[in-house]
Amino acid sequence: MGYADLFRLDGRRVAVVGGASGIGRESVRALAAHGAEVLIADKDVPGAEETARLAAAERPAPGAGPGPGPVSVHRLDVLDDVAVREAAAQWGAVDGLVVTVGANVRKRIADYTPHDFERVMALNLRAYLTLVQSMAPGMAARGRGSVVGLASMRAFQVEAGQSVYAASKAGLVQFLRTAAEEWGPSGVRFNAVAPGVVRTPLTDQIAADPQWYEAYAQASALRRWAGAEEIAGAVTYLVSDASTYVTGSVLTVDGGWTAVDGRYEPSL
Ligand SMILES: NC(=O)c1ccc[n+]([C@@H]2O[C@H](COP(=O)([O-])OP(=O)(O)OC[C@H]3O[C@@H](n4cnc5c(N)ncnc54)[C@H](O)[C@@H]3O)[C@@H](O)[C@H]2O)c1
């Protein structure tokens, strides 16, 4: 393979779980544009169908290679373990698994309910157990595969109201690192992407409050929010052969948020 094809995914099958919206949707579009066959799994079927439509409409620049890979839509609730196992069996061999489901309940610890706790943990962390159990062995049997999970800068830096979300994302990082060790000898890679603040439905609550929105924009080195399409490159990289020696890692895509302290700008 020449370097010009380093990120190409022709002939690869990639499942994107959570592909009906936000980062998942843009990841589907990017993966398909690089030639992958993409299976979109989501509980939101109309959203997944819209993603499939957008992916199919992706057209390469004249002379820049083939059009997008085929995209299919699969209804799936990741909290239904039986359905996840059945879906994985039905899909058969996949080369990549990208998981972008996630939820946040922003409340102080004093106000958190057990139900809130379980909801966030179930989607952000426990769902990975059955997904990985169902799909990693098949990848291991073929000696190759890449699993990409969506963590967050909240795995490392917190603020009031982020307790359970931050714990779930820190837990996810350690879960994926352990998976990297357990399946590494079989050639299966596991990595996390840790975005900063990205304008998707998940952040509607923040965008509705101009002060909160602007404070978050100013917290990163780039002084702005990300678009979901700015996360898709990291996902594509980690699925592709450009990252064959990358496993157990966390790729921050946060506009520099976790690099800077942000409390004070000296007048130098
Ligand atoms: N948006 C951000 O600022 C941001 C920042 C850091 C990390 N993240 C993480 O990135 C991931 C994607 O976030 P997003 O902003 O694109 O979210 P989003 O809400 O736009 O998309 C989440 C998708 O998951 C699907 N989903 C939810 N529950 C499901 C279930 N039970 N079964 C199947 N599908 C289900 C939804 O239908 C939706 O399509 C999440 O894990 C999130 O925590 C997001």
Side-chain angles (χ1 to χ4, degrees):
M1 184 190 62
Y3 283 129
D5 295 326
L6 198 54
F7 296 89
R8 289 298 308 178
L9 295 167
D10 308 270
R12 307 284 171 86
R13 301 183 81 223
V14 185
V16 179
V17 180
S21 173
I23 294 167
R25 168 171 288 171
E26 297 309 316
S27 298
V28 170
R29 295 179 68 185
L31 292 163
H34 283 77
E37 176 189 347
V38 185
L39 299 87
I40 310 173
D42 204 295
K43 64 175 189 179
D44 172 7
V45 171
E49 285 170 348
E50 174 63 6
T51 299
R53 196 191 61 72
L54 291 167
E58 203 85 31
R59 283 286 155 256
V71 176
S72 56
V73 169
H74 307 262
R75 181 194 302 276
L76 181 66
D77 180 351
V78 289
L79 301 181
D80 181 342
D81 294 313
V82 173
V84 170
R85 290 187 198 286
E86 283 175 0
Q90 186 210 327
W91 295 342
V94 294
D95 305 287
L97 167 65
V98 177
V99 185
T100 67
V101 296
N104 196 358
V105 176
R106 300 176 183 90
K107 283 183 183 174
R108 287 184 175 266
I109 294 171
D111 300 323
Y112 239 84
T113 66
H115 177 261
D116 296 331
F117 185 100
E118 273 150 25
R119 187 176 150 231
V120 174
M121 278 293 178
L123 203 54
N124 294 6
L125 185 54
R126 194 187 68 73
Y128 280 81
L129 178 66
T130 312
L131 284 165
V132 168
Q133 282 178 341
S134 314
M135 300 179 73
M139 294 177 176
R142 292 186 306 283
R144 58 176 297 148
S146 172
V147 177
V148 181
L150 263 295
S152 166
M153 68 174 180
R154 296 299 177 207
F156 313 109
Q157 283 195 335
V158 301
E159 65 181 7
Q162 296 285 357
S163 60
V164 180
Y165 184 80
S168 74
K169 296 300 187 181
L172 174 61
V173 168
Q174 296 301 68
F175 180 85
L176 293 172
R177 283 177 171 158
T178 310
E181 164 60 10
E182 294 185 3
W183 276 286
S186 307
V188 187
R189 301 183 294 109
F190 293 80
N191 293 288
V193 175
V197 284
V198 189
R199 255 324 269 126
T200 72
L202 191 75
T203 50
D204 279 348
Q205 180 190 11
I206 302 166
D209 178 335
Q211 207 180 345
W212 195 356
Y213 182 86
E214 186 55 20
Y216 273 20
Q218 294 305 320
S220 73
L222 294 178
R223 305 290 197 272
R224 64 174 178 85
W225 284 60
E229 71 284 358
E230 294 184 276
I231 315 300
V235 170
T236 304
Y237 161 70
L238 289 170
V239 171
S240 77
D241 285 351
S243 62
T244 45
Y245 203 58
V246 180
T247 195
S249 79
V250 184
L251 179 49
T252 52
V253 189
D254 63 3
W257 183 310
T258 52
V260 302
D261 157 310
R263 287 174 304 172
Y264 179 63
E265 199 171 329
S267 54
L268 298 172

